[in-house]
Amino acid sequence: MTRSETRLRTKASFGQRLLGGIGEILITLGIIALLFVAWELWWTNVDANRAQSEVTSQFVQGLNLGDAGGQDFGSAPIAKIPDGETFGIFYIPRFGKDFAHPVTNGVGPAVWNSVGIGHYPETQAPGEPGNFAVAAHRQTHGQVFWDIDKFEDGDKVYLQTREGFYTYEWRNTEIVHPSQGEVLLPVPHEPGQEPTTSILTMTSCHPPFTTRMRIIAYSELT
C-alpha cells in the first residue's frame, strides 16, 4: 500500500467518524424533540387537570348546594369578581359529564396554564347586562376548551359562583382573526350598542394545535 493510499484511507475514516458524530447528535435532538412534544401534549394536561381539580374542590367546599325546588328567584344577581381570584366553576355537559373547571379573573399563561379558564377583566360579570367573556386552551395544559366546536342546539353551560348558579344556552359559534377584539364588546361586533341581554363568550384557538385563528362560542343567560 502506498503512502497516498494510506492518507486517503485515513481521511475517509475521519469523514466517517464525523458523519457518525453528526448522526448521533441528530438522533439525540430528535429524541429530545419527541420528549418535548410528549410533555407539551400529555404531561401538561395531567399536571393542569390535577391543579384545576384541587382548585375546584377548594372552591365548592362550604357552598350551598341545596336543591332550589323549582323556585323562581327572579333576575340573576351580578356575580362578584375579585381581582386575580377564582370566582366560579363551569359545568358543560357537552364537554363531558365530569367536566368541572374553575374560572379565574384574568387572562394569560399564568391563568390558562394552571387554573384553566380566565375571565377578560374588561368584560362584564355573570348576571350583568353585556358580555361575560372567558378564554382557555384548546390543547395542552388541560385542553379545557377542546370540544368548543361541538356545541349543538339546546346545549347548556352552567356556572356556579358564590351568588348561585347561572344557566346559559348556546346560541352560535364563529371563527375570527386574532385581531378581531370586537367579540369582547358588550354587544359583540356592535361598538357603542347598549346591551339588553347577558351573554357568555367563550374563546379559544382554532384550528387545534395552531394559533392562526380564534373560535368564538356565544351563549345567552336564561
Side-chain angles (χ1 to χ4, degrees):
M1 182 181 293
T2 65
R3 291 183 178 180
S4 176
E5 290 173 334
T6 301
R7 286 196 298 269
L8 286 173
R9 176 168 293 185
T10 301
K11 289 180 180 179
S13 297
F14 174 77
Q16 289 173 353
R17 290 198 299 272
L18 179 61
L19 289 175
I22 293 174
E24 290 179 1
I25 291 172
L26 292 176
I27 291 172
T28 301
L29 291 175
I31 292 173
I32 292 173
L34 289 174
L35 290 174
F36 175 78
V37 170
W39 172 83
E40 184 75 12
L41 297 181
W42 177 71
W43 179 253
T44 61
N45 289 334
V46 173
D47 197 37
N49 282 328
R50 183 188 302 117
Q52 291 165 31
S53 293
E54 291 176 358
V55 173
T56 299
S57 297
Q58 292 171 5
F59 183 84
V60 299
Q61 286 179 0
L63 292 180
N64 181 11
L65 301 179
D67 184 5
Q71 300 178 60
D72 183 357
F73 292 97
S75 300
I78 297 176
K80 297 180 177 63
I81 303 182
D83 290 340
E85 293 185 19
T86 296
F87 63 90
I89 305 295
F90 271 108
Y91 306 93
I92 307 178
R94 175 58 60 185
F95 294 0
K97 63 183 180 62
D98 297 322
F99 184 97
H101 288 270
V103 55
T104 301
N105 194 30
V107 290
V111 174
W112 300 328
N113 293 356
S114 56
V115 290
I117 304 173
H119 165 246
Y120 288 96
E122 68 272 20
T123 67
Q124 284 67 58
E128 183 179 6
N131 187 1
F132 169 49
V134 300
H137 285 304
R138 195 170 180 188
Q139 62 278 320
T140 74
H141 298 92
Q143 55 185 32
V144 181
F145 282 174
W146 174 257
D147 290 319
I148 191 173
D149 61 332
K150 302 295 194 302
F151 280 115
E152 297 180 1
D153 289 343
D155 279 348
K156 300 293 194 301
V157 176
Y158 303 99
L159 172 67
Q160 181 186 17
T161 74
R162 290 181 173 85
E163 289 73 34
F165 280 91
Y166 300 79
T167 301
Y168 296 86
E169 184 170 341
W170 177 77
R171 191 175 67 186
N172 67 290
T173 296
E174 65 174 348
I175 308 299
V176 302
H177 291 281
S179 59
Q180 292 181 257
E182 60 267 26
V183 299
L184 303 180
L185 292 173
V187 181
H189 299 292
E190 298 186 25
Q193 186 71 24
E194 192 70 22
T196 58
T197 60
S198 297
I199 65 169
L200 164 67
T201 296
M202 301 168 58
T203 73
S204 196
C205 293
H206 182 83
F209 305 106
T210 76
T211 58
R212 185 165 51 87
M213 302 292 282
R214 298 291 183 268
I215 183 168
I216 317 295
Y218 300 102
S219 301
E220 188 169 331
L221 182 69
T222 62

